[in-house]
Amino acid sequence: MSHSHSHDHHDHSHAPSVSSDNERKVLLSFFLIFTFMIVEVIGGLISGSLALLADAGHMLTDAAALALAYAAFRFGRRAPDARRTFGYLRFEVIAGFINAITLFAIVAWIVYEAWRRFQEPHAVLAGPMLGVAVAGLLINVLVFRILTRGDSEHVNIKGAALHVLGDLLGSVGAVMAAIVIYYTGWTPIDPILSVVVSLLILRSAWKLLVKSLHILLEGAPGDATPEKIAYHLKGEVPGVADVSHVHVWSITSGRMLATLHVRPAAGADIQQVVRAVERELQSQFRIEHATIALQWNDEVSSCSLSRTVPRAHAHCPHDHDHGPQEYAQ
């Protein structure tokens, strides 16, 4: 049997398509948060407010998270090389994972400081506290709006936005505490609201941690499990007799890959079957790259079809009378 190596349309580029808009809004958000963090630290020290200091501490981690997110985007733009064939896309997921961990650390610090304030109450100057808290709230609303415009589901952007959302809630708590102290003089409201706000952060932090860790562990996306893929292909693609050994995972948010074995039905046009499988993986499961191994009579063929939407190539090594027909693009 003859064999063919067709590279004319080989396009296995895994170069990332990082949006420059994401980079710009992360960088702008960083400068806004970092600048106001300094203001909030000064305001917290002058007023004696734990809520402001906690918010300033959160702003510090926000600034670090945004700087990390920006660095992740810059690294993510680097082209693949011989040692990293998928480039640096996974760096973005690592950034989201670190953001989640720091959110847990922030909550622990706030709770600890609040407990100390309950043991030893501090005087709080409500006037300066209220002014700084309102300004911080406005800054956080602005930054959150910047981050959530456009691609807000990206794990890196989402991680940074969750930090800012937690900070926004912290600013709301600081404003409420300042108003209560101003009119009633009841200072315990300051640490109480700090704890309430910190607990609200936990749910978002947990979701981000689970999502980023799932990607790092190469878990299957929820809407593209091996079972769903196999069931869909067998039911919807003519000429597919069986689908097995399905593996699917994400390199980063929105970049899914898969490998699978496809057994064609007797007499099926192999080329049409493979192209139909490719189309279904892209349209139904958003899998942009799939490596398809053809299988007859429970034997995997010597021809593995590596498909990258919309182009493809086939590597068919020399057949030693193992039975399968060969496919060449």
Side-chain angles (χ1 to χ4, degrees):
M1 272 188 172
S2 63
H3 65 277
S4 171
H5 294 274
S6 176
H7 297 280
D8 294 339
H9 300 288
H10 175 36
D11 185 14
H12 268 204
S13 173
H14 300 291
S17 55
V18 176
S19 168
S20 58
D21 181 59
N22 281 346
E23 285 190 33
R24 285 193 298 269
K25 64 186 184 183
V26 165
L27 188 59
L28 174 60
S29 300
F30 167 77
F31 282 117
L32 288 172
I33 290 291
F34 186 79
T35 301
F36 193 78
M37 176 203 71
I38 299 173
V39 175
E40 202 160 35
V41 168
I42 296 172
L45 292 173
I46 292 175
S47 66
S49 168
L50 174 62
L52 280 185
L53 290 176
D55 202 32
H58 200 167
M59 275 195 161
L60 175 61
T61 60
D62 286 349
L66 289 164
L68 187 60
Y70 182 74
F73 281 128
R74 298 297 295 180
F75 272 104
R77 291 177 60 182
R78 296 178 63 175
D81 54 39
R83 295 183 62 192
R84 300 170 185 84
T85 57
F86 284 102
Y88 295 79
L89 290 174
R90 189 57 65 84
F91 193 91
E92 300 175 358
V93 185
I94 295 173
F97 179 76
I98 294 174
N99 284 346
I101 296 297
T102 56
L103 282 169
F104 281 100
I106 292 165
V107 170
W109 180 80
I110 293 174
V111 171
Y112 172 73
E113 286 297 320
W115 175 253
R116 290 185 58 189
R117 288 294 180 98
F118 281 123
Q119 300 297 314
E120 300 178 12
H122 288 247
V124 177
L125 301 178
M129 177 186 176
L130 180 60
V132 174
V134 169
L137 176 62
L138 295 176
I139 290 293
N140 281 309
V141 168
L142 174 62
V143 171
F144 187 74
R145 187 168 186 273
I146 291 172
L147 288 175
T148 53
R149 291 178 60 188
D151 182 14
S152 60
E153 286 303 310
H154 192 290
V155 69
N156 203 9
I157 290 292
K158 197 166 187 176
L162 286 175
H163 268 276
V164 176
L165 177 60
D167 203 13
L168 191 154
L169 294 173
S171 295
V172 171
V175 170
M176 293 174 60
I179 293 173
V180 171
I181 294 171
Y182 184 82
Y183 285 103
T184 68
W186 191 54
T187 56
I189 188 65
D190 184 49
I192 288 174
L193 286 181
S194 297
V195 172
V196 170
V197 168
S198 68
L199 294 178
L200 294 176
I201 300 170
L202 283 179
R203 182 173 178 271
S204 296
W206 176 254
K207 291 176 65 176
L208 177 61
L209 179 67
V210 170
K211 182 176 181 179
S212 57
L213 188 59
H214 187 71
I215 295 176
L216 290 174
L217 293 176
E218 298 191 346
D223 57 347
T225 62
E227 294 78 12
K228 289 182 179 179
I229 291 174
Y231 180 82
H232 180 81
L233 293 179
K234 285 188 288 185
E236 298 297 328
V237 179
V240 172
D242 192 27
V243 177
S244 59
H245 301 288
V246 180
H247 299 276
V248 57
W249 69 98
S250 299
I251 291 296
T252 187
S253 290
R255 302 292 300 274
M256 288 187 287
L257 294 84
T259 63
L260 62 156
H261 291 180
V262 172
R263 181 160 60 88
D269 186 307
I270 305 303
Q271 183 171 343
Q272 290 184 6
V273 168
V274 171
R275 287 179 173 173
V277 168
E278 171 197 63
R279 286 194 299 269
E280 289 298 312
L281 290 174
Q282 182 191 28
S283 63
Q284 296 298 318
F285 301 101
R286 295 176 289 110
I287 295 173
E288 66 176 54
H289 176 85
T291 299
I292 304 169
L294 294 181
Q295 184 174 0
W296 284 271
N297 299 323
D298 298 326
E299 294 292 336
V300 180
S301 81
S302 61
C303 180
S304 291
L305 307 181
S306 184
R307 311 286 294 183
T308 300
V309 180
R311 297 177 179 177
H313 78 289
H315 287 300
C316 299
H318 184 65
D319 191 313
H320 297 284
D321 293 330
H322 290 167
Q325 300 176 6
E326 292 186 346
Y327 167 81
Q329 177 78 358

